[in-house]
Each structure stands twice: as C-alpha cells, then as structure tokens.
Amino acid sequence: MQRQTQDVDGHSPSAVLYQGLDKLGRFLAFDRQVLRFFAVWQDPMDPMHEKRYFKVLFYLADGTMEIQPEYKVNDGHYKYPNLLARQLLPRGGLLPADLPSFRDMDCYVAEDLQVGSEIEVLGRRLRLFDCDGFTRDYYAARLGIVQPPSVPTESPAPAPLVQPLPPHNGFGSPEDSLRSCLHLVPRRPCPSHPGPDDRPLRYLVRLNSERPHDLARRFVLSYQTRFGFCTITELGRRNSGREGGRFFGPRLIEKPDSDPMQPQPEYYGPADFAIGSTVVAAGCHFIVVGADLYVYKYVSERKGDFQEELIENLADYMRKEGLLRRDSE
C-alpha cells in the first residue's frame, strides 16, 4: 500500500476524519457509505482445495464489518446469509462472549483493509484480492491511500487428463474391444459402406498350405481404400465340394508382427500386397498371385505413397498377363 499523506499527531487518517464527531455526527456524515472488498478463502483441510469467495463490507458510520459469502449455481453449499453479522471485528478474528467488551478491544479499522492483505475471521484467514470503485476513490481522496491493483485468485487450469487406451486383450477385434473403453454400454462398430467413388482393390490369392485339397482353392481379396477393410471371398469351383462365398471380413487385418499390446496395431494396406507377398488373416496364410489392372493404375498414380519396387512388381505381372504393354505405361 502506498500512502500519500502522513498521520497527524500520531493518529490514523480515519481517526482524523472522525475528530470532533460523536456517534450521531458520524452517522450523519458517513451513513450509507460502505467500503466493499472481495475476499477468497481456501480451507487447508479440504482435500479438493476449493476456494470460497466472500464480500467484506466495512461501514464507515460506526466501523462495523459484515462478511457475506458468494455462491455459484449448484456449488453444493447451503446458502446461509452471512459468515459474520454486522459488528465490530477484533484483530485476530476471535469474538469474546462478553459483547460490551468490544469497545475495549483492538478492532479492525479502514486502514487495515488493503488489497493483497489478509484478515482473520472466526479462524479463517480471508485474503482481500479486490475492491470496488467507490472504495478506491475513498481511500485515495479521504485517506491518501492508493489501493493496489486486483490480485488474481484463479489458479492456472491443470493440463487435461488424457487416459491412455488399454492394450487389446486378445478377444475379438481391437476395434470392437475399443468400444468398451469409449462407452459404458459397448456399441457395435459402425458398418462401413463404400461410396460410389470407392472402387475396391482386388487381388487374387491362394492358400499357402501343404494339403492337396487346398492347392486348387482360389480367393479374391478386396481392399476398401477409404476404410482399410479387407474382404476375402472364395471362388467356387464345380465338383470341388465347396460352394465358395465369403471367407473373411469385412474388417481390418492386423499384421502378425504388430505389437498386440498397443491400442492401435498396424494393419495391412496396399503397400503390403505385392505379387508373391504373404497375407495372414483368420489364422491362414495367403499368397498374393494376381491383381486387377485397376490396382496398378491406382498405385502408379500415387507414386509418392508407394515404393518404386511395388510399382515395378505390379507392372511386371501386368505385362506377363498381357494386361499392360511396355509402350502404354
């Protein structure tokens, strides 16, 4: 606090203002003039460290004080009207049982109230952090005191708590297990339907098996470019004993070398479907033996996303099958 005037004859500035005034004179001179401060209190025993806010009123007519709590909507506190009813407040905050002895005690005066200071009320240490415009003007004009600027009371907001996703437990797909972490009642993953421009990439695959009856089985692996879902469909053959149809999917195919403890495993994509490569799905090993011409066009138009070895691998297959001429590449 900065004082602009000195005390007169050892008296405080407010005492000089009250000189020659009796109780009635002070009432007539200072009635309805109230100094208003804003205070905050934090209970050291509260595990949540909640801050409670109060209005501290100092009545100039008789030097009494009143402290009113401030409430917020749904703050969980009973709305009692006052922390301290209007009365003289002794320094130290303890109120004696003998009320007439107030006059003989050292009570708070206007000079004791300053922004940034603390007052003790009923065992609570309230910190004054601001005051209204009338209070600032009164201190500057009548007492020669400049109140400090407002003191911030809000603590910086803590960093948002990011709950890490637990690793996949091995039951079902990772996407399905993730639903139990996002919702109290797990929901089924939303089906992904390809749009009119989402033409799938189709590959011809066969089983990598030593059993003779599996050597002639052929499958079509369809990859949806928007969602990354793979569908494996078996091609039917007459007199083979198998009707064909959907064998797997549609779903994401996790790579076998992916870490199963990671919440977001690594999945197969077009970069992994080179001719001669192996794809592991549903516990079976498939070898890519063919691809559509659209696959080569899709990859060659996005050279920045795929390695040159993959593009050349598909180009060699297309030329071998007669689907691509060297002069038309």
Side-chain angles (χ1 to χ4, degrees):
M1 177 188 298
Q2 301 178 0
R3 296 183 180 269
Q4 298 178 348
T5 60
Q6 300 293 330
D7 294 351
V8 179
D9 297 334
H11 298 285
S12 64
S14 60
V16 175
L17 292 176
Y18 297 151
Q19 284 183 353
L21 296 178
D22 56 3
K23 183 177 180 180
L24 178 59
R26 290 184 58 175
F27 173 78
L28 296 176
F30 297 101
D31 183 34
R32 299 180 183 273
Q33 296 187 24
V34 182
L35 305 180
R36 183 173 63 168
F37 291 85
F38 303 96
V40 62
W41 172 66
Q42 185 172 355
D43 187 359
M45 304 300 295
D46 185 6
M48 302 302 295
H49 304 287
E50 180 185 7
K51 294 181 178 180
R52 304 287 303 277
Y53 293 88
F54 300 86
K55 288 190 296 184
V56 179
L57 306 179
F58 185 88
Y59 295 88
L60 295 173
D62 54 3
T64 57
M65 296 180 62
E66 181 180 3
I67 300 179
Q68 303 173 351
E70 293 185 332
Y71 300 98
K72 297 180 180 179
V73 179
N74 298 328
D75 59 0
H77 294 286
Y78 180 77
K79 295 177 173 54
Y80 57 89
N82 291 323
L83 173 65
L84 180 71
R86 181 176 177 179
Q87 56 187 286
L88 294 173
L89 178 62
R91 289 187 175 89
L94 299 179
L95 302 180
D98 188 11
L99 296 180
S101 63
F102 269 94
R103 299 299 176 180
D104 301 329
M105 297 186 65
D106 185 18
C107 298
Y108 283 104
V109 294
E111 288 81 355
D112 298 325
L113 306 180
Q114 51 181 308
V115 176
S117 64
E118 292 184 349
I119 60 174
E120 189 169 354
V121 183
L122 301 177
R124 299 172 175 86
R125 299 192 65 86
L126 275 62
R127 184 185 182 188
L128 307 179
F129 66 88
D130 199 3
C131 60
D132 59 10
F134 169 78
T135 303
R136 293 184 181 275
D137 295 340
Y138 177 86
Y139 273 87
R142 306 296 293 272
L143 303 181
I145 300 174
V146 178
Q147 287 285 351
S150 176
V151 178
T153 60
E154 295 294 339
S155 303
L161 179 62
V162 179
Q163 185 69 24
L165 295 176
H168 182 225
N169 55 10
F171 294 94
S173 64
E175 299 77 27
D176 189 48
S177 299
L178 181 62
R179 295 287 173 166
S180 62
C181 303
L182 302 179
H183 304 279
L184 181 61
V185 179
R187 304 175 183 175
R188 183 178 179 181
C190 299
S192 55
H193 301 285
D197 300 330
D198 297 331
R199 182 176 175 180
L201 306 180
R202 290 161 45 92
Y203 301 86
L204 182 64
V205 298
R206 66 174 179 84
L207 279 173
N208 185 14
S209 174
E210 297 180 356
R211 293 180 295 185
H213 60 275
D214 287 338
L215 298 179
R217 299 175 66 182
R218 292 295 181 269
F219 302 82
V220 175
L221 188 152
S222 300
Y223 179 86
Q224 297 181 12
T225 57
R226 173 182 294 186
F227 306 104
F229 283 72
C230 296
T231 303
I232 299 179
T233 305
E234 184 174 4
L235 301 177
R237 294 176 60 249
R238 295 184 60 183
N239 301 326
S240 64
R242 300 180 183 275
E243 296 183 359
R246 181 174 299 180
F247 179 84
F248 174 85
R251 56 170 293 182
L252 299 172
I253 303 180
E254 182 181 350
K255 292 185 178 180
D257 55 351
S258 178
D259 187 1
M261 302 304 292
Q262 295 294 331
Q264 293 295 335
E266 187 177 359
Y267 299 104
Y268 280 105
D272 305 308
F273 298 145
I275 304 299
S277 62
T278 301
V279 180
V280 181
C284 301
H285 291 69
F286 297 89
I287 299 178
V288 181
V289 296
D292 284 347
L293 180 61
Y294 175 73
V295 175
Y296 172 76
K297 295 180 179 179
Y298 179 87
V299 174
S300 60
E301 291 174 356
R302 298 166 176 81
K303 295 184 178 181
D305 299 333
F306 301 98
Q307 297 182 359
E308 188 65 28
E309 292 79 3
L310 175 64
I311 301 177
E312 188 62 28
N313 175 276
L314 293 173
D316 292 342
Y317 170 79
M318 298 300 167
R319 287 193 293 265
K320 181 179 178 181
E321 296 294 326
L323 302 176
L324 183 68
R325 295 183 302 175
R326 184 173 299 273
D327 56 357
S328 63
E329 297 183 21

